[in-house]
Amino acid sequence: MSWYSANELAGLPGMPGTRQGVKAKANSQGWEAQKRMGCGGGYEYAFAVLPTETQNALLLAKADSAAPTPTSTVIPQAEETRPGQQQLTDAQRKVMTARVAFVREIERMAKMVSQQRAIETLVEHAKAGGLTLYLNERVVLANDRKTDTRTLSERTLKRWISDFKKHGERGLAPKRRAADMSMPDWAGDFLKRYQKPQKPSVEAAFQLLVEQTEPPHPSIHQVRRWLAKLSPEARERGRLGAHESKSLKAFVRRTSKELWPNDIWVADGHTFDAEVINPETGQAFRPEVTLIIDWATRRIVGFALNLAESTLATLDALRYSVSRAGMFGTFYVDNGSGFANDTIREVVDRLGGQMKHSLPYNSQARGVIERAHKTILVKLAKTMDSYIGADMDKEAATKAHKLSRRDIKQGLKPAQLPTFQEFYDRLNEALDSYNFRPHRGLPKVRDLDTGTLRHQSPMEAWKSAEAEGFEALTAPADVVASLMRPQLVRKTHRGEVRVNSGIYFLQALVDFHGEEVRVGWDYRDVGQVGVFTLEGEMIGEAILDGNATPAMPVAEVQKGRDKRQKGQISRLTQKAKVVTGQDVEIRTITPTTRHTDAQQVERGRAHLKQLEAQGTPFQLPHNKVDRWRLWNKLDAQLMSGEDVPQKAREWHAHYRDNKDLKAIADAMEADGRPPVRNPWAK
């Protein structure tokens, strides 16, 4: 069907919602129309002149309602579109301009002679080659023919003049055959076999069309040409799901220019693409990393680690973030089970913020956190031997998997898998590096060291906002402390409770001897754990090795050792006198220190570092954060009495009062203290 009435078009994409609106639009744009056949009268409009989005809607509607076995194939001929109904191409515009030149020349000549005489004179000069160079160059172009042997004729010039008077210069533009966008009768059956989630190829769908429908059939080339005319959205309908199809549609680019820090926090969980050792079981596992990012500054304000995206992981990340960066305004998350639950809503309400959920299958709306996953977590995972991402070499991944499982089975620490503490330390370093690295989503500033323009880092954006008057709202300490931490159920024993290979003591637990309690622990600070009843009532904070004391005072132990040593020496002296018949003197000789292999390796490394320090001149890093780290390293070496090159000593003393050093130190303190070493994560 190539013609549609106003009633059929009303309400379609790109069309007004009423029949009168369609007619008004058709009249204003000069659509090609014809009288309807049968009762009712009225007009119907050609398919070729309709907007592209309306054509796509008609094609899709016809594909859904197409009969399974068409008996004939009728391919309508393409309609020629008038120049006034479409945008002109460059070729049409050149031809139109050339014809306008001849019309204007006739108008100038007609001021002195009649128009007929002017036309005849122009034709004669064209045949004799007497036209001006300007007009002579435009004869072939104005004729719009493939051959260059054509010249001007009286009839052609009169037609151009007539079209110019009726339609203006656009009436001189040549007509072009529009692409045939009508839907062949076989298209419906083909699309039913082609638009499937299995994504069959054109050849496979065409073969099914030939086998399962009655002839006549199109050729494979006809099918390909017709598919090329469809828009990507119309062509891929049914082959892509709701999430993937969004990549073909228009999108809204969200900006953060009007946001202040802590206005919007975006959170999401990501299963780490490398394996680490589980601190509880000693087995290999992939931890779930929950990141929270501030939309305005792109700063990672907090994170949490867990076995999976869960409520506890979200609460832990919120508690850590609020204690470091202050209160938030909006908590923007997806509809995952770790976020869409009453527990998280209650905590957000207590903190005075609001929670917003993105639409299903719309991860693009939270692209700011999705990008951070790739920039930080995926990049970190690829630096580990235990990486098992989709782009990991299969053979190498299989080998690493076998070796690590063999070592775990034998009770050894796999060389391919980092411990939980090692992973935690490296994650902190990656997050710290990200927060101090220029970010493309932030404004540009002039670098003080190089003088070039570069993007701000997240921490620079945060400090810049503070300089403009932003001040983070501090969360009440009791509210932060009451937020839930990852909890485990454990049985008490005489005031002690065991968690993650650590023994914690609390005097109040003596009254709960033999009972089960809930222990809230934090892998960032293993010095103490919170102990709660099974009903959630807090008992107190248990201290790591809180009841551990030396078996005896050190002085008493040493006194016993000295006495035992003297007695043994006395007995040896008496025995030697009996054997030799003479007095024997026993002396202690300090043996030559024998180093173990590990000690020798460490001594070799230290000697190598010393040689490198002697042979390598002292160089300053270009990055201000790296200079801050170098200064702290030198400061620690000087405090411990190590040998430091003279140039390094001079720079250390000179850089002590530099404003950059103080600024970076303040920023690092604002970003949190270094992680506490975790003794139970072996």
Side-chain angles (χ1 to χ4, degrees), residues 348-514:
V348 172
D349 289 340
R350 289 179 60 193
L351 293 174
Q354 62 173 343
M355 186 162 62
K356 295 291 185 181
H357 294 278
S358 61
L359 296 176
Y361 304 105
N362 194 34
S363 59
Q364 294 91 339
R366 294 174 293 102
V368 62
I369 191 69
E370 298 290 343
R371 184 62 187 174
H373 286 165
K374 295 181 180 179
T375 305
I376 304 173
L377 301 182
V378 176
K379 184 178 179 181
L380 174 62
K382 288 187 175 183
T383 63
M384 300 182 177
D385 295 335
S386 58
Y387 176 67
I388 54 175
D391 54 347
M392 177 65 173
D393 179 69
K394 185 177 180 180
E395 182 180 355
T398 302
K399 182 178 180 180
H401 181 272
K402 290 182 178 179
L403 293 176
S404 62
R405 295 321 187 266
R406 181 200 63 186
D407 292 344
I408 291 175
K409 188 175 181 180
Q410 296 176 357
L412 304 176
K413 190 268 181 187
Q416 298 80 14
L417 272 62
T419 64
F420 186 83
Q421 182 66 51
E422 291 171 347
F423 163 66
Y424 175 69
D425 292 342
R426 294 180 65 176
L427 177 60
N428 273 279
E429 292 177 1
L431 295 177
D432 177 69
S433 176
Y434 167 84
N435 282 334
F436 285 91
R437 187 170 58 242
H439 194 291
R440 290 185 300 175
L442 297 175
K444 286 188 175 183
V445 294
R446 182 74 63 180
D447 191 280
L448 298 179
D449 294 332
T450 62
T452 59
L453 284 175
R454 61 168 177 81
H455 292 280
Q456 284 183 320
S457 68
M459 286 305 301
E460 285 177 334
W462 189 281
K463 293 298 181 180
S464 177
E466 290 181 342
E468 295 177 9
F470 165 74
E471 183 177 357
L473 298 177
T474 304
D478 57 337
V479 175
V480 177
S482 64
L483 294 180
M484 295 177 63
R485 291 175 284 184
Q487 295 186 358
L488 299 172
V489 176
R490 291 290 185 267
K491 184 175 290 187
T492 65
H493 178 74
R494 299 173 61 183
E496 293 181 342
V497 61
R498 295 175 179 266
V499 180
N500 300 323
S501 303
I503 301 177
Y504 296 83
F505 177 78
L506 177 62
Q507 183 64 39
L509 286 180
V510 176
D511 298 333
F512 295 85
H513 173 71

Side-chain angles (χ1 to χ4, degrees), residues 266-272 287-293 300-318 320-321 331-334 338-339 344 369 373 377 423 427 431 523-524:
V266 187
D268 195 13
H270 175 82
T271 302
F272 196 63
E288 181 76 13
V289 184
T290 301
L291 295 182
I292 299 181
I293 189 172
I300 301 295
V301 294
F303 72 98
L305 303 176
N306 214 309
L307 298 180
E309 183 178 282
S310 63
T311 302
L312 289 178
T314 305
L315 290 174
D316 185 33
L318 269 176
Y320 185 49
S321 302
F331 194 49
Y332 190 37
V333 294
D334 59 17
F339 302 109
I344 299 299
I369 191 69
H373 286 165
L377 301 182
F423 163 66
L427 177 60
L431 295 177
Y523 45 81
R524 301 182 181 89

Side-chain angles (χ1 to χ4, degrees), residues 233-296:
E233 182 181 356
R235 183 175 61 251
E236 299 300 325
R237 182 186 182 188
R239 295 170 63 87
L240 301 178
H243 184 266
E244 290 186 352
S245 62
K246 288 182 176 291
S247 62
L248 303 177
K249 299 179 181 179
F251 65 96
V252 177
R253 189 178 296 277
R254 298 183 177 182
T255 62
S256 57
K257 295 180 180 179
E258 305 300 326
L259 295 179
W260 283 92
N262 287 351
D263 278 351
I264 301 178
W265 283 2
V266 187
D268 195 13
H270 175 82
T271 302
F272 196 63
D273 290 331
E275 292 181 327
V276 302
I277 298 178
N278 192 319
E280 297 183 26
T281 64
Q283 302 297 314
F285 86 117
R286 296 172 62 189
E288 181 76 13
V289 184
T290 301
L291 295 182
I292 299 181
I293 189 172
D294 176 66
W295 198 327

Side-chain angles (χ1 to χ4, degrees), residues 518-568:
R518 285 159 48 184
V519 182
W521 57 281
D522 187 356
Y523 45 81
R524 301 182 181 89
D525 182 10
V526 297
Q528 59 184 7
V529 295
V531 185
F532 306 82
T533 64
L534 296 180
E535 291 75 23
E537 181 180 356
M538 187 169 186
I539 301 175
E541 295 285 339
I543 307 301
L544 178 65
D545 298 328
N547 59 337
T549 59
M552 291 187 66
V554 177
E556 292 294 331
V557 174
Q558 187 63 38
K559 182 178 179 181
R561 291 174 181 171
D562 294 342
K563 184 177 181 180
R564 182 174 65 253
Q565 184 179 8
K566 289 180 179 179
Q568 291 175 345

